[in-house]
């Protein structure tokens, strides 16, 4: 996993979200200001900042543009080397991704022993989605990792409640302080914490007293959670200077009451309002060749079906069945299955069908669930698990280094993913550098390059001087037409006409298509 993440990270140009997070991280450290990227809490960006401090990037203080412009200024307009800055920004996320692999190992080992722990770790290690998003300076894997760590601590609290419930509160708070989409897991974690404490007390106390103590334990975990969120905001700005931005939408009704009731800083609550504003917008999605407006409730399950290795899917199903069927594991089933189920249900109801990264917690939790098939204690179970893990490993190795556009063999592999999915499932702007290399190597001296690029990179910095084909009549567009696959999926009007009249001649990273026109 170390090799896969590092060697792909150094080849990929900034994805769409990364420049915002990296620019915000630099501002956090140097100016102690919360004004950028309030829609996400600070912890994930503080993790990124532990790497950017070693890159020593130049950025003039007091930048007044928007957060997208901030990222562009930092990477491309301040004399910095974007490759170097991005590697240092991504490195801390890779480190925490590896640490969360140890959490998965420990959780599974507690349930089914060391062999099960190794099986879970293997599935985690070879997961194309975890390799992809664990090697980017984004927030998805850290948030998912903190949730599974909190769940493991709550499970362990059944035997030693005091230390593990405190750790569960810390991990839960870290998840919420990383990404607001972790909030649906909080009631589940608190309920499981109360249940664990109830079990730890045993039957020696009267039921009423056990109930009171369990509720007190839940309150204690909640207090620690809230304290962690506040501590993260204070770490950025000890004075909590905050002015509500002009673009923060008004949120009314139950959502408004929910936000007002949150015991978090004003910056967090305004970030929630921005998130609800995103959820109120109409986004465009793409699934199995269909371009649509709005969202489909089954989008994430369908996308997971495409992007999960076949052997991994089989082990998830078998492990889930074993978790509910084997008597000694039934107590663990709510801990392993309910948090991801609640998070997945919340994500399925969201307005943005933009990628499986919104469900990245699924391969993390279900790596633990999959290991439970070994609880059957049958030779065939060990043999089948070994064969399927090897199948997963081979599928993962075959897609190297193109993990972001991965799809399993049943759907044609990474070269065919763009026919079924879009955005961060396939083409997130990561291959601009590879495109520059391809144009230099295979098409030297080509004067007419027409470019429709979806991403945050600046093509000219990489030596790509493309023209916009949508700004001139189609009759003038000759030569190479280079189009990001997400733009192809969404192509309408003039762009669709240009693509229809061109011949695909090359593919870059399974995310960008080169046409001859």
């Amino acid at each position: 996993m170390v090799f896969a993440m590092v060697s792909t990270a150094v080849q990929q140009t900034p994805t769409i979200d990364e420049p915002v997070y990296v620019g915000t991280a630099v501002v956090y450290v140097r100016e102690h200001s919360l004004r950028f990227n309030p829609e996400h809490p600070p912890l994930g960006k503080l993790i990124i900042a532990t790497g950017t401090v070693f890159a020593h990037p130049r950025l003039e203080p007091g930048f007044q543009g928007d957060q997208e412009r901030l990222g562009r200024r930092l990477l491309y307009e301040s004399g910095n080397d974007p490759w170097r800055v991005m590697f240092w920004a991504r490195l801390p996320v890779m480190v925490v991704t590896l640490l969360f692999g140890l959490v998965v190992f420990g959780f599974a080992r507690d349930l089914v022993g060391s062999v099960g722990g190794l099986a879970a770790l293997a599935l985690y290690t070879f997961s194309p989605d975890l390799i992809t998003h664990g090697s980017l300076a984004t927030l998805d894997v850290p948030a998912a990792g903190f949730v599974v760590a909190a769940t493991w601590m709550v499970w362990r609290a059944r035997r030693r409640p005091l230390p593990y419930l405190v750790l569960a509160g810390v991990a839960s708070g870290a998840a919420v302080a990383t990404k607001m989409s972790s909030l649906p897991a909080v009631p589940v974690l608190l309920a499981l914490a109360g249940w664990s404490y109830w079990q730890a007390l045993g039957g020696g106390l009267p039921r009423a007293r056990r109930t009171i103590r369990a509720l007190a334990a839940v309150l204690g975990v909640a207090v620690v959670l809230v304290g962690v969120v506040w501590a993260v905001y204070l770490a950025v700005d000890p004075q909590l200077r905050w002015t509500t931005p002009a673009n923060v939408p008004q949120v009314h009704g139950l959502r408004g009451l929910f936000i007002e009731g949150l015991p978090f800083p004003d910056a967090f609550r305004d970030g929630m309002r921005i998130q609800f504003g995103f959820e109120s917008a109409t986004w465009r999605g793409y699934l199995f060749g269909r371009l649509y407006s709005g969202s489909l409730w089954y989008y994430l399950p369908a996308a997971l079906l495409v992007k999960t290795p076949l052997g991994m899917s089989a082990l998830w199903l078998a492990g889930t069945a074993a978790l509910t069927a084997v008597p000694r594991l039934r107590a663990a089933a709510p801990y392993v299955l309910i948090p991801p189920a609640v998070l997945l249900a919340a994500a399925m109801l969201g307005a943005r069908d933009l990628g499986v990264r919104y469900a990245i917690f699924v391969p993390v939790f279900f790596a633990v669930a999959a290991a439970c098939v070994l609880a059957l204690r049958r030779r065939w179970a060990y043999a089948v698990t070994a064969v399927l893990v090897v199948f997963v490993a081979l599928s993962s190795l075959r897609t190297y280094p193109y993990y972001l556009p991965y799809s399993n063999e049943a759907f044609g592999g990474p070269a065919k993913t763009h026919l079924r999915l879009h955005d961060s499932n396939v083409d997130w702007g990561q291959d601009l550098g590879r495109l520059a290399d391809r144009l230099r190597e295979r098409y030297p001296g080509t004067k007419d390059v027409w470019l429709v690029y979806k991403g945050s990179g600046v093509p000219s910095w990489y030596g790509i001087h493309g023209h916009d084909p949508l700004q001139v009549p189609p009759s003038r567009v000759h030569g190479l037409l280079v189009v990001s696959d997400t733009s192809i999926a969404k192509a309408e009007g003039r762009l669709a006409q240009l693509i229809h009249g061109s011949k695909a001649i090359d593919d870059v990273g399974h995310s960008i298509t080169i046409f001859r026109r």
Side-chain angles (χ1 to χ4, degrees), residues 419-455:
L419 300 176
R420 297 167 178 89
L421 299 167
H422 78 313
D423 206 81
S424 60
N425 289 314
V426 180
D427 162 35
W428 214 15
Q430 74 274 11
D431 282 325
L432 194 59
R434 290 188 178 114
L435 173 62
D437 293 340
R438 183 68 54 84
L439 292 174
R440 283 192 294 268
E441 293 166 3
R442 294 191 184 178
Y443 310 99
T446 301
K447 295 181 179 180
D448 293 327
V449 176
W450 302 88
L451 178 64
V452 180
Y453 165 68
K454 179 184 181 296

Side-chain angles (χ1 to χ4, degrees), residues 180-265:
M180 293 171 184
S181 58
S182 303
L183 278 172
V186 170
V188 178
L189 291 170
L190 293 178
L192 292 174
W195 177 244
S196 290
Y197 194 76
W198 171 280
Q199 293 294 313
L201 291 176
L205 290 176
R207 183 178 294 270
R209 186 173 296 180
R210 289 175 71 189
T211 301
I212 292 172
R213 289 192 178 185
L215 291 174
V218 170
L219 179 61
V221 173
V223 168
V224 173
L225 184 159
V226 172
V228 168
V229 175
W230 276 90
V232 168
Y233 277 89
L234 288 168
V236 176
D237 182 4
Q239 300 180 32
L240 286 181
R241 294 163 295 180
W242 176 251
T243 301
T244 299
N247 64 340
V248 173
Q250 295 293 320
V251 180
H252 304 287
L254 292 177
R255 287 179 171 181
L257 292 174
F258 170 73
I259 293 172
E260 291 300 326
L262 290 173
F264 299 134

Side-chain angles (χ1 to χ4, degrees), residues 30 56-61 63 69-82 85 461:
R30 296 184 179 177
H56 305 291
R58 290 182 287 272
L59 179 68
E60 69 275 17
F63 180 79
R69 181 67 179 161
L70 169 69
R72 194 176 305 115
R73 176 67 63 87
L74 172 71
L75 293 177
Y76 298 106
E77 300 172 3
S78 298
N80 299 309
D81 179 356
V85 173
W461 194 92

Side-chain angles (χ1 to χ4, degrees), residues 106-182:
F107 200 169
R109 184 179 60 178
D110 282 358
L111 298 181
V112 288
S114 295
V115 176
L118 290 173
L121 181 58
L123 293 179
Y124 181 95
T125 298
F126 286 107
S127 168
D129 287 328
L130 290 171
I131 292 172
T132 291
H133 297 286
S135 60
L136 300 176
T138 54
L139 315 179
D140 303 291
V141 172
F146 284 127
V147 173
V148 78
T151 307
W152 182 34
M153 294 298 99
V154 169
W155 167 252
R156 287 201 144 199
R158 292 164 63 92
R159 295 188 178 275
R160 294 181 59 195
L162 184 58
Y164 288 117
L165 286 182
V166 172
L167 290 173
V170 172
S172 301
V176 174
T178 300
K179 224 180 169 192
M180 293 171 184
S181 58
S182 303

